[in-house]
Amino acid sequence: MDRRQEILEAASKSFSLFGYKATTMDQVAKIANVGKGTIYTFFANKEILFQEIVVKMISEMKLTAEEEIVPDRPFQENAHNVLMKILQFREVHQLYAKLVEEEKELRTPTVKMMLVRIEKEIVSYIAEKIDIAIDKKELRPCDSELVAYLLFKAYIGFVADWGATHDSELSEERIAFLFRDTIFRGLLP
């Protein structure tokens, strides 16, 4: 493995364990078993190193979502499966979970900026899939970016936030039925 990759893996591990704010270049150097100067050969600063790791995580998330799409399934079924997979990724991916936690607790500006970037990438990805469905006449014309944002935020609300204010979590089936019976019904031609 090359030094650059070793540094990326070490930094990812450090950011996942300690968060952005608590990670230092000294820690990354120690985990990667390189001198701190070696890190600066590849990355000008901690923020640039962090950005590269987040870009890689976004690519992984998109790949995970793509695996859920089955070409002959209806749009709403694929959309539900993709959104659930993205939200599961958000919860189980150690770095993503740590960033969400850090932003809530410490309000670190760099972390907030990266979470906004991740959200924009997710919404853009969903909007792309909506546009494809519109072209295939599976959905009626709509503002795909607004609908993508609505879908993403609503899924987060029901999957992640509902349980905090209610006595029980919603099942995936109930969420799918709710969206099929409301939002998706309004999008069908």
Side-chain angles (χ1 to χ4, degrees), residues 136-176:
K136 292 169 137 179
K137 308 283 189 240
E138 291 181 74
L139 298 179
R140 64 185 179 83
C142 63
D143 185 326
S144 59
E145 184 180 6
L146 289 178
V147 172
Y149 183 84
L150 170 70
L151 287 172
F152 180 62
K153 289 298 190 171
Y155 267 83
I156 286 176
F158 286 118
V159 172
D161 301 338
W162 177 270
T165 58
H166 295 78
D167 294 333
S168 63
E169 301 286 328
L170 293 173
S171 70
E172 187 175 331
E173 295 77 27
R174 189 159 178 209
I175 293 168

Side-chain angles (χ1 to χ4, degrees), residues 75-139:
F75 171 81
Q76 59 192 9
E77 197 174 321
N78 278 327
H80 171 72
N81 291 339
V82 164
L83 284 160
M84 291 303 287
K85 200 61 158 181
I86 287 171
L87 294 177
Q88 286 169 2
F89 184 94
R90 183 176 179 247
E91 289 175 16
V92 300
H93 195 283
Q94 195 175 7
L95 175 59
Y96 199 145
K98 188 67 174 178
L99 296 178
V100 169
E101 177 187 318
E102 182 173 334
E103 204 285 319
K104 281 182 184 175
E105 292 176 9
L106 303 175
R107 304 259 186 239
T108 309
T110 302
V111 170
K112 182 172 181 59
M113 182 179 71
M114 283 300 127
L115 288 174
V116 167
R117 180 176 180 178
I118 293 167
E119 182 176 296
K120 284 181 179 181
E121 289 283 342
I122 292 170
V123 170
S124 173
Y125 173 82
I126 296 167
E128 222 175 86
K129 299 304 177 194
I130 291 171
D131 287 335
I132 291 168
I134 291 168
D135 290 344
K136 292 169 137 179
K137 308 283 189 240
E138 291 181 74
L139 298 179

